[in-house]
Amino acid sequence: MSAPMISLQGLSGTTVFDQSPARAKSGGCASSSCGSSAKPHEMDSAVWEKIKDHPCFSEEAHHYFARMHVAVAPACNIQCNYCNRKYDCANESRPGVVSERLTPDQALRKAIEVANQVPQLSVLGIAGPGDACYDWKNTKATFERVAKEIADIKLCISTNGLALPDRVAELAEMNVDHVTITINMVDPRIGAEIYPWIFYENRRYTGVEAATILHERQMSGLEMLTARGILTKINSVMIPGVNDEHLIEVNKWVKERGAFLHNVMPLISDPAHGTHYGLSGQRGPKAMELKALQDRLEGGAKLMRHCRQCRADAVGLLGEDRGKEFTLDRLPDKVTYDASKRETYRAVVARERGDRMAAKSEALGMVKTAGSGKSLLVAVATKGGGRINEHFGHAKEFQIYEASPKGIGFVGHRKVEQYCLGGRAEDKSLDGVISTLEGVDIVLCARIGNSPEDRLKESGIRATDAYGYDYIETAIGALYAAEFGSEPLAATA
């Protein structure tokens, strides 16, 4: 049965459920009640309620929901060798970078305007550009203002953990249910290679002494949050030759202390960014090196693999940034919150989510009964909504899935330079895309031209648009079944 055409053109500038009516398929029940029950079977219902609309704490949610970061906390109490905070930069896409700093009142005005214009918005976070727990006066004032005006938005905070133990009680009082802590080491000797100094209790510390204090405060803060039922995500930067092997131990420590997720991210190292690691030539990990480490961590703390290492003023779905649309000079002088678009959007998501979960269940069954011990690495061009709905030449990133006898899992994403701009294709950009897709077996996209398809084939990567606008898992299940001997799902309606 074909699904109804779902369009959010009237709600926002981004059509998440962009479908071709001739090809899109529901793959399951169309009941609006399905969305509320579409949770992992092993997950506690109370936990699911906390994460189901949070794009950073739920891989499933990140297909549908957006976040915004407000840059109200510029002060920081540690120095990291991978960080160089910039307060007026519009071009770099990495943590610690913003176009403009905001006061709490400006942050409220921006949050209301984004909530009115971006119905996918579900989370407001403070992730710097310094440290939200250290620059506490601004952080607290912002949360209080936003919670009063937009009661149904989730509040989220990111911190290095040094000042965290001093703020846990107030975070709980403000109903902050999600906290991210950056923890790169549990051995201060390794920490001394990552952090030149910390500023704690009105004094600057360096070396192993600084790393020891930071480590103890991070562990204390994590344990305090767990005791209060606040969900924690641990961010760890993978730095080859420094802490890559050590992150296995970090994963064990944070799991024992109740961390909900562990997010291992690649070091971003570029001399143009002006960081110590960038200027000293410290390389970041290759995509397959990162995946190999993440695979080794399976069975420990649950992994997050869909992180985009957002700017401290990011707005939109993960993988996109609409922040330039909401700079201060573009905001109305007076704004009034209107919940209608967000309420309508959530009703649409509930229906779509239920259909997708039914389709996913069917696809997983196909993979598990295929009788193969092999795996398939698939790159998907998508705008969101859990569908294959982006043209190959328009993709700025590919979501990476792995199909194996264990099932179908999201295992990462790879950013690329857009290959086709204004109807013109650049061979140099295509070379970069092909290089970035190292290790991938098949590319799925809504459309692809003969030339890039042939170039990919020459590099040992197949590409097809036969499953355009299908659910991602449905297409991968069909591919896996066709590849390894089970009866495949239909590719089109």
Side-chain angles (χ1 to χ4, degrees), residues 300-421:
K302 180 178 172 63
L303 296 178
M304 174 192 184
R305 298 204 190 206
H306 61 281
C307 176
R308 302 306 199 272
Q309 293 176 280
C310 305
R311 290 167 55 102
D313 58 1
V315 174
L317 296 169
L318 300 191
E320 72 170 3
D321 187 359
R322 298 177 60 185
K324 292 181 181 180
E325 300 174 35
F326 300 99
T327 52
L328 287 176
D329 61 318
R330 291 173 174 257
L331 300 180
D333 292 332
K334 294 184 179 180
V335 289
T336 302
Y337 176 51
D338 179 0
S340 60
K341 287 184 180 179
R342 293 178 68 228
E343 291 171 353
T344 301
Y345 178 80
R346 291 187 180 198
V348 173
V349 167
R351 293 193 298 271
E352 176 76 4
R353 226 170 182 176
D355 289 352
R356 182 179 174 226
M357 290 301 291
K360 183 176 181 178
S361 178
E362 184 177 356
L364 290 174
M366 290 289 282
V367 168
K368 290 181 178 180
T369 58
S372 169
K374 299 180 179 180
S375 64
L376 203 61
L377 204 62
V378 182
V380 179
T382 177
K383 297 177 183 178
R387 292 184 182 271
I388 304 162
N389 52 12
E390 180 67 282
H391 291 210
F392 176 83
H394 297 169
K396 295 180 179 178
E397 72 164 25
F398 289 89
Q399 295 187 6
I400 309 299
Y401 288 78
E402 186 168 29
S404 72
K406 296 179 181 179
I408 301 171
F410 182 100
V411 296
H413 69 95
R414 302 189 190 175
K415 295 180 181 180
V416 297
E417 183 179 350
Q418 187 174 334
Y419 160 59
C420 184
L421 291 168

Side-chain angles (χ1 to χ4, degrees), residues 144-299:
E144 289 174 341
R145 286 164 170 75
V146 171
K148 182 178 179 180
E149 296 295 330
I150 313 176
D152 63 341
I153 201 165
K154 295 182 185 297
L155 301 177
C156 187
I157 195 170
S158 181
T159 176
N160 59 50
L162 183 58
L164 175 61
D166 303 327
R167 312 303 182 198
V168 170
E170 289 179 276
L171 288 169
E173 289 172 5
M174 290 188 292
N175 296 316
V176 176
D177 283 334
H178 307 82
V179 174
T180 295
I181 314 170
T182 298
I183 300 178
N184 294 314
M185 56 84 199
V186 293
D187 182 342
R189 292 170 298 178
I190 293 175
E193 299 182 49
I194 302 171
Y195 305 103
W197 55 261
I198 70 167
F199 188 75
Y200 176 63
E201 294 186 340
N202 299 312
R203 180 184 165 190
R204 179 174 292 206
Y205 294 84
T206 61
V208 172
E209 184 181 19
T212 299
I213 294 170
L214 177 61
H215 165 61
E216 292 173 351
R217 297 284 288 177
Q218 289 175 336
M219 296 301 108
S220 175
L222 174 56
E223 291 168 357
M224 292 169 70
L225 291 169
T226 299
R228 288 181 177 266
I230 297 174
L231 297 183
T232 52
K233 173 168 66 72
I234 307 304
N235 282 353
S236 296
V237 179
M238 179 183 175
I239 310 166
V242 177
N243 73 341
D244 44 353
E245 289 295 322
H246 180 60
L247 289 180
I248 297 171
E249 191 68 18
V250 172
N251 184 270
K252 294 177 182 177
W253 275 66
V254 300
K255 180 181 180 180
E256 290 171 356
R257 286 156 181 80
F260 179 71
L261 284 176
H262 190 195
N263 172 34
V264 177
M265 311 176 295
L267 171 70
I268 299 174
S269 183
D270 185 330
H273 296 163
T275 67
H276 172 77
Y277 280 148
L279 295 172
S280 65
Q282 170 65 53
R283 73 174 182 89
K286 297 178 181 178
M288 293 305 288
E289 290 176 328
L290 176 64
K291 181 181 181 299
L293 175 60
Q294 291 170 330
D295 289 347
R296 290 174 65 188
L297 295 176
E298 287 290 348

Side-chain angles (χ1 to χ4, degrees), residues 2 6 31 48 52 58 68 92 97 181 187 214 238 252 271 289 346 350 381 384 406 457 474-475:
S2 295
I6 302 173
S31 169
W48 174 246
K52 68 177 184 179
S58 166
M68 71 174 294
E92 295 178 17
V97 172
I181 314 170
D187 182 342
L214 177 61
M238 179 183 175
K252 294 177 182 177
E289 290 176 328
R346 291 187 180 198
K406 296 179 181 179
K457 187 175 181 180
T474 296

